[in-house]
Amino acid sequence: MEKIKLGISTCLLGENVRYDGGHKLDRFLTDTLGQYVEYVPVCPEVECGLPIPREAMHLEGDPDSPRLVTIRTKQDMTDRLVQWARKHVADLEKEDLCGFIFKSDSPSSGMERVKVYNEKGMPVKKGVGMFAKIFMDHFPLLPVEEEGRLHDPGLRENFVERIFTLKRWREVLGKKESRGNVVDFHTRHKLLILSHSSKHYQIMGKLVAKAKDLPLKELYQKYQTLLMESLYLKTSPKKNANVLQHLMGYFKDQLSSDEKKELLEVIDHYRQEYIPLIVPITLIQHYVRKYDQPYLKQQVYLNPHPLELQLRNHV
Ligand code: SF4
């Protein structure tokens, strides 16, 4: 797979673009995820023409439509940043991004819970950075996250799973449009979708089953929306345990009674959060090889992102 293109707040890459001339280098993003990703850096404040260093800014007024104002001299930068951002998100369409990682708490780049100050100078953490809001409105289905939230193992796994899946879907979009390609993609991703949402699993199954009755464009569009919606929903030990048992059903007749007992035990220990997901997955991968299960070998659920990222190693 070629590298996944992701937008990122420039300061997270270690560039000295912050108001104080500093940066916010995040080593997981550069050194670990960076091995699989090509970053497209965006610093809204510098790219809209503000200098480094510059006066610090914050959001003021109505949390739903705040103004971006410098803190000391009260210069209103809203129009300047909004005009630049509207043009820039249109330019970013060419980049074919699979997601964006924003710098948390920034009045320009923060994705959520950014401080917005009222006329008395009291903050409420209800704002969205000015550029981040325009970006997310323009690309509503793209996976987005903040560097701070990516330190949470569950959120990290969810985000990485989404960007890798979107990349695989973009590869389908790069081929000639055909119902067969959508069906093939769905067949490989079925259990991954089930691990996020049984409701989407059913709806998407029905959509693919009646693929012949739909115009191709509509099929692609509906499938893509449902895919991104489903993966946005978090997995849980209960949902994963359900998928693991589903997987076991494919070779339960071939397993010896000892193997069955051991696998059920491991799944149960995972469900109770004593062991990480990688343990039952590794055991199932072993049986998939041992009992030669071609359908399961192609299931992305067993291998949705590089093992080296260790995203399924947490409890
Ligand atoms: S948070 Fe955004 S605007 Fe601020 S320095 Fe980083 S990239 Fe630039």
Side-chain angles (χ1 to χ4, degrees), residues 209-223:
K210 63 168 191 183
K212 284 197 198 78
D213 306 335
L214 287 174
L216 262 181
K217 283 253 169 311
E218 193 181 331
L219 172 67
Y220 271 74
Q221 227 162 43
K222 281 193 169 158
Y223 189 84

Side-chain angles (χ1 to χ4, degrees), residues 70-241:
T70 63
I71 297 171
R72 194 171 46 81
T73 59
K74 295 289 171 200
Q75 294 172 69
D76 193 328
M77 298 295 180
T78 312
D79 294 344
R80 179 182 194 143
L81 200 120
V82 166
Q83 271 176 25
W84 170 85
R86 287 201 179 125
K87 184 174 171 306
H88 197 64
V89 290
D91 291 344
L92 284 174
E93 280 174 17
K94 293 193 279 290
E95 298 286 356
D96 212 18
L97 298 178
C98 286
F100 203 108
I101 300 172
F102 291 109
K103 169 72 192 74
S104 53
D105 302 326
S106 156
S108 306
S109 302
M111 188 186 94
E112 60 173 33
R113 295 173 50 78
V114 177
K115 284 182 187 159
V116 183
Y117 291 81
N118 64 18
E119 65 284 356
K120 291 185 183 135
M122 298 298 290
V124 282
K125 282 186 126 187
K126 285 188 174 171
V128 179
M130 212 136 264
F131 168 69
K133 168 112 182 49
I134 291 170
F135 181 92
M136 292 190 288
D137 287 349
H138 196 82
F139 299 106
L141 289 177
L142 270 197
V144 292
E145 259 308 346
E146 292 186 330
E147 93 294 357
R149 283 166 50 93
L150 286 175
H151 294 154
D152 175 288
L155 296 175
R156 177 183 288 192
E157 184 187 355
N158 181 275
F159 179 71
V160 174
E161 204 162 281
R162 283 189 288 155
I163 61 173
F164 271 86
T165 306
L166 184 54
K167 177 69 179 167
R168 286 188 293 271
W169 172 246
R170 289 272 170 82
E171 281 167 7
V172 174
L173 295 181
K175 296 180 195 164
K176 192 172 178 305
E177 276 187 356
S178 86
R179 288 176 180 82
N181 287 340
V182 179
V183 173
D184 176 58
F185 179 91
H186 183 68
T187 307
R188 290 187 293 123
H189 287 79
K190 260 182 176 179
L191 298 181
L192 187 76
I193 293 162
L194 180 61
S195 71
H196 288 264
S197 164
S198 56
K199 186 176 146 208
H200 284 82
Y201 173 80
Q202 283 172 10
I203 297 172
M204 292 167 82
K206 283 183 192 153
L207 178 73
V208 170
K210 63 168 191 183
K212 284 197 198 78
D213 306 335
L214 287 174
L216 262 181
K217 283 253 169 311
E218 193 181 331
L219 172 67
Y220 271 74
Q221 227 162 43
K222 281 193 169 158
Y223 189 84
Q224 174 169 290
T225 304
L226 287 164
L227 177 68
M228 296 324 293
E229 273 178 13
S230 66
L231 297 190
Y232 177 74
L233 301 167
K234 309 281 179 300
T235 60
S236 66
K238 196 171 158 210
K239 290 182 193 175
N240 276 318

